[in-house]
Amino acid sequence: MLTRRRFIFLRHGETDWNRERRMQGNTDTPLNATGLAQAGEAAALLRGRGITTIATSPLIRARTTAEIVGRSLGLDPVVVPDLREANWGPLEGQLRDHRFDAWRTDGLTPPGAERYADFIARALSGINTALALPAGPAAGAPDRAPARCGPPGRAGRRTRGGRAFRPGRRRGGGGGGGGGPILIVAHGGVYRSVLAHAGWRRDGGLPNCRPILHEPPAEDGNAWRAVELTGS
């Protein structure tokens, strides 16, 4: 079950392999110039949204995106290992073709790759771990001036920056309750777990760096609401 807490999901910025339609998986491909610009645009779009905490995949394309946004919001991203993309084994680096759909819909797992069902379960665990994070220092207050962080791809020097968060480890006070939304920066594959557990479908893939706000259902309901955030 998807933890009932408001969150914003942001897929990482573009990489060269995205542009070439190559399967990335766990291969640690960096953002290209377009992806860096997209992350900056997303950061501007996310200011003033009341975001309290940023959780990110450990892969560099997501971490760089999260760090760019985090500097704008005055928050250090927290690394959640289970938010990483699926392991596609020998398919990584190859052009996306029918084998991806066979892995996703028919359960045809290449040798050394992660089973689709296992990936969806692991991604859900990562999302719920992120949603259980306590509110960051900006909770209940307007977005602060950007904090000092390391350059993209490196962890900041503050307590939470760049550290891995795993289930069972509490950081600071509070819990996964109210307040502003959590920002989750991860991958298109990870978002399939949201779709699988929120009870609705999305036509087409998730674009790079287009933030989507998710509102949990009412206590007596099951339907999540999702809306893409824009500058208008």
Side-chain angles (χ1 to χ4, degrees):
M1 173 181 283
L2 191 60
T3 299
R4 295 189 176 195
R5 182 177 183 182
R6 295 175 69 227
F7 70 96
I8 297 170
F9 192 97
L10 182 68
R11 185 186 176 200
H12 60 80
E14 184 187 82
T15 70
D16 285 343
W17 279 17
N18 285 145
R19 179 170 294 181
E20 297 166 2
R21 293 189 56 79
R22 295 186 184 277
M23 292 179 275
Q24 294 184 105
N26 276 201
T27 301
D28 220 5
T29 48
L31 300 184
N32 59 21
T34 297
L36 291 169
Q38 290 172 335
E41 292 167 2
L45 190 59
L46 291 168
R47 283 197 292 268
R49 304 281 182 179
I51 293 168
T52 59
T53 303
I54 301 174
T56 180
S57 156
L59 296 177
I60 193 66
R61 56 192 183 271
R63 284 188 63 172
T64 301
T65 302
E67 288 166 359
I68 290 172
V69 174
R71 282 197 294 274
S72 178
L73 303 186
L75 295 170
D76 288 324
V78 179
V79 174
V80 177
D82 280 344
L83 290 176
R84 68 191 183 279
E85 184 58 284
N87 174 9
W88 289 327
L91 296 184
E92 295 184 9
Q94 299 188 38
L95 294 176
R96 181 166 169 169
D97 57 20
H98 67 279
R99 292 171 296 178
F100 174 82
D101 292 325
W103 169 77
R104 184 171 60 87
T105 60
D106 301 328
L108 300 179
T109 306
E114 192 172 8
R115 289 179 63 248
Y116 182 73
D118 293 342
F119 164 62
I120 291 297
R122 186 257 294 166
L124 176 64
S125 175
I127 292 166
N128 283 339
T129 296
L131 294 178
L133 289 169
D143 293 331
R144 301 185 287 109
R148 295 191 179 190
C149 300
R154 294 179 57 192
R157 296 184 62 186
R158 291 168 56 195
T159 303
R160 288 158 56 93
R163 285 189 171 182
F165 181 91
R166 293 180 174 82
R169 294 178 64 187
R170 298 293 297 274
R171 296 181 182 277
I182 294 282
L183 174 62
I184 298 175
V185 184
H187 309 271
V190 172
Y191 193 64
R192 292 183 184 277
S193 186
V194 175
L195 296 178
H197 292 89
W200 37 262
R201 298 180 58 181
R202 178 186 176 92
D203 295 329
L206 186 66
N208 295 102
C209 267
R210 300 270 285 275
I212 301 177
L213 173 66
H214 299 77
E215 297 278 1
E219 290 185 6
D220 57 349
N222 295 310
W224 283 74
R225 293 189 301 116
V227 59
E228 183 174 318
L229 302 178
T230 66
S232 58

